[in-house]
Amino acid sequence: MEPFLSVIIGTYNRSNLLKICLDALCRQTLDPTAYEIVVVDNNSTDETARLVSKYCGGRVSVRYVFEKNQGFSFARNRGYHEAKGLYLVFNDDDTKAPAEYLSNVVNAIRTHDPDILGGPVYPFYTALRPFWFRDVYEIRK
């Protein structure tokens, strides 16, 4: 039996990036019954609620939660309390996970039984890459 994952995404007024994030998480190779996505809206005033509602009821369980107290820790803590999974996967709203991301998380859990894990970070840009960003800032292992 696969371990059940809760992917928690805190977001504030970045529905344009959240769409990219949700699209990628809904296209995972992991069985959609093995994970849920919990979007914690941290008091946004943009289209976040409407965007997330388009994903609810799909093949992947996506839930919308509103958290009025603004701040990263409030959003993550609310996601933790709402999560149904045994394992929590914290993603930011500006991430674009590769299709095998959650399958790799499950494989790492099965193989190593870690208390915590992380993975590579490869930036993607919606505009020109900032002049100050260097490749060495990426986490590739």
Side-chain angles (χ1 to χ4, degrees):
M1 177 160 189
E2 299 289 341
F4 189 75
L5 307 176
S6 289
V7 181
I8 300 168
I9 306 163
T11 189
Y12 174 70
N13 285 341
R14 299 205 309 179
S15 59
N16 59 327
L17 293 173
L18 181 61
K19 181 182 184 331
I20 295 167
C21 177
L22 289 173
D23 284 347
L25 288 170
C26 287
R27 287 194 298 262
Q28 293 294 297
T29 58
L30 184 65
D31 182 337
T33 64
Y35 70 101
E36 68 171 347
I37 301 169
V38 180
V39 179
V40 181
D41 181 348
N42 204 200
N43 208 14
S44 297
T45 58
D46 67 357
E47 301 296 314
T48 296
R50 188 162 26 139
L51 171 72
V52 176
S53 72
K54 293 177 183 177
Y55 292 86
C56 295
R59 76 177 195 76
V60 174
S61 173
V62 177
R63 292 190 291 128
Y64 173 86
V65 177
F66 184 81
E67 174 54 56
K68 69 176 180 168
N69 295 310
Q70 284 188 280
F72 194 61
S73 60
F74 287 112
R76 286 203 167 174
N77 286 330
R78 180 65 184 271
Y80 160 75
H81 288 289
E82 297 286 338
K84 295 177 181 172
L86 180 60
Y87 294 91
L88 308 180
V89 179
F90 290 102
N91 270 42
D92 293 334
D93 57 5
D94 63 350
T95 61
K96 183 179 175 185
E100 64 284 347
Y101 172 66
L102 293 178
S103 291
N104 288 338
V105 169
V106 168
N107 288 335
I109 291 168
R110 273 200 233 120
T111 304
H112 303 288
D113 192 29
D115 293 323
I116 188 170
L117 62 94
V121 176
Y122 304 98
F124 75 93
Y125 303 98
T126 58
L128 288 176
R129 175 179 159 168
F131 73 91
W132 52 264
F133 190 87
R134 305 287 182 255
D135 288 343
V136 295
Y137 299 160
E138 297 176 18
I139 301 170
R140 292 186 177 255
K141 295 183 179 182

